[in-house]
Amino acid sequence: MSNTTSHYYSRRQFAKNMAALVAAAAVSKSSAVFGEPQQRTYRLWRLYVKNTLAVTAIEDLMREHGILYRLLLIYEEIASQLAAGKELAPANLTDTADLIRRFVEDYHEKLEEDFVFPRAEKVSELYELVKVLRIQHQAGRNLTDAITRLALRTSPQDPQNQKKLAEYIHLFIRMYRPHAAREDTIIFPAFHDVVTADEYMQLGEQVDARETQLFGEDGFEKIVEQVADLEISLGIYDLTKFTPAV
Ligand SMILES: [Fe+2]
Ligand SMILES: [Fe+2]
């Protein structure tokens, strides 16, 4: 694992540790020497575990938005290089579009469409917002198709192609920043109110299973590494470069 993600704490490892601790606490509870202070500790611990696990599914989706925001920054850099007429390594663009297709559109958005939106749109106040979000998912897929088609053309350095590519990328960024921000601030918080604790736990397991099915073990970490490789290739990995000198 690279330095960029070595600090990342695997959700599966976290769940394993939690399960082991809960099992240990359950054994303690059943023992004859389990007194009041231990019972209180046990109750607090169960409460902690319940609350911690209860945020897992939405935390997952928000973390995936973190990937999306990094991909949007990569797109922004690519668009500005295209607009400046700079020669761009074609793989930077096609790899970014491919990550967006595989991770954002075919995985993250499918999770939202399959598990989150159907519940959220039952809340009358959220119905219109979900409708817009669904339309934007399709618009994003259309843009990714168009960007990929243009990027794969034989003469990617053609000025007309570059201009059109920069335009499509700009439209993509412009739509997805507010899109993800609405999900983070309205849809995901509301989701807590429309599912039971059991459904929430099940959703976490379904998200996990789908992530493993599509990206293998430690799929999220692998995607983070691919994003970091693109950032390094474009010269925008170093976070200090974004700190203003004021
Ligand atoms: Fe979405
Ligand atoms: Fe999203």
Side-chain angles (χ1 to χ4, degrees):
M1 190 176 286
S2 78
N3 287 337
T4 58
T5 54
S6 58
H7 62 284
Y8 177 73
Y9 192 70
S10 155
R11 181 179 57 247
R12 286 178 197 81
Q13 189 57 49
F14 176 77
K16 276 183 206 157
N17 291 348
M18 290 299 110
L21 285 163
V22 170
V27 168
S28 298
K29 187 171 184 257
S30 66
S31 89
V33 295
F34 197 81
E36 180 55 31
Q38 288 89 344
Q39 282 181 13
R40 186 168 173 278
T41 305
Y42 176 75
R43 281 197 299 274
L44 286 172
W45 180 246
R46 286 304 302 262
L47 190 65
Y48 170 74
V49 170
K50 183 172 178 287
N51 287 339
T52 307
L53 291 179
V55 299
T56 300
I58 291 301
E59 183 190 345
D60 238 324
L61 291 168
M62 293 178 90
R63 206 169 49 176
E64 288 161 18
H65 278 180
I67 295 282
L68 172 63
Y69 290 130
R70 287 174 74 167
L71 287 166
L72 293 181
L73 185 69
I74 288 168
Y75 255 177
E76 197 169 61
E77 178 63 22
I78 288 172
S80 79
Q81 290 192 15
L82 287 169
K86 288 188 185 166
E87 196 161 323
L88 182 75
N92 282 337
L93 181 51
T94 51
D95 287 354
T96 305
D98 179 59
L99 265 178
I100 285 171
R101 169 57 39 94
R102 289 187 297 116
F103 188 80
V104 177
E105 296 170 354
D106 289 350
Y107 167 65
H108 171 82
E109 290 184 349
K110 283 293 288 171
L111 289 175
E112 291 173 344
E113 290 163 9
D114 291 347
F115 300 115
V116 180
F117 292 172
R119 289 172 173 105
E121 63 198 353
K122 284 185 186 150
V123 179
S124 57
E125 294 88 345
L126 300 178
Y127 183 81
E128 284 304 317
L129 174 57
V130 174
K131 197 168 149 190
V132 175
L133 295 171
R134 283 187 187 277
I135 290 169
Q136 290 188 337
H137 282 187
Q138 189 51 50
R141 288 168 185 139
N142 295 345
L143 278 170
T144 300
D145 282 343
I147 289 167
T148 305
R149 262 198 313 273
L150 263 183
L152 290 174
R153 281 196 183 162
T154 48
S155 54
Q157 304 309 330
D158 176 284
Q160 288 290 36
N161 275 4
Q162 288 192 331
K163 192 163 173 278
K164 200 71 193 163
L165 272 170
E167 191 184 313
Y168 285 152
I169 290 170
H170 176 71
L171 289 172
F172 193 93
I173 295 167
R174 174 98 178 141
M175 179 177 78
Y176 267 108
R177 281 187 174 142
H179 177 103
R182 292 299 170 105
E183 290 174 344
D184 284 340
T185 57
I186 296 176
I187 298 295
F188 294 165
F191 188 74
H192 282 271
D193 300 331
V194 295
V195 289
T196 65
D198 279 351
E199 283 178 315
Y200 213 11
M201 288 297 289
Q202 278 172 16
L203 176 62
E205 286 162 17
Q206 286 162 327
V207 169
D208 239 357
R210 200 175 285 191
E211 185 184 293
T212 305
Q213 181 196 359
L214 288 176
F215 305 110
E217 282 297 322
D218 300 324
F220 181 82
E221 294 90 327
K222 287 176 194 160
I223 296 292
V224 170
E225 286 184 19
Q226 289 171 46
V227 169
D229 286 345
L230 281 164
E231 290 169 338
I232 290 165
S233 172
L234 287 159
I236 55 169
Y237 176 74
D238 182 1
L239 195 59
T240 63
K241 285 190 175 178
F242 297 93
T243 312
V246 288

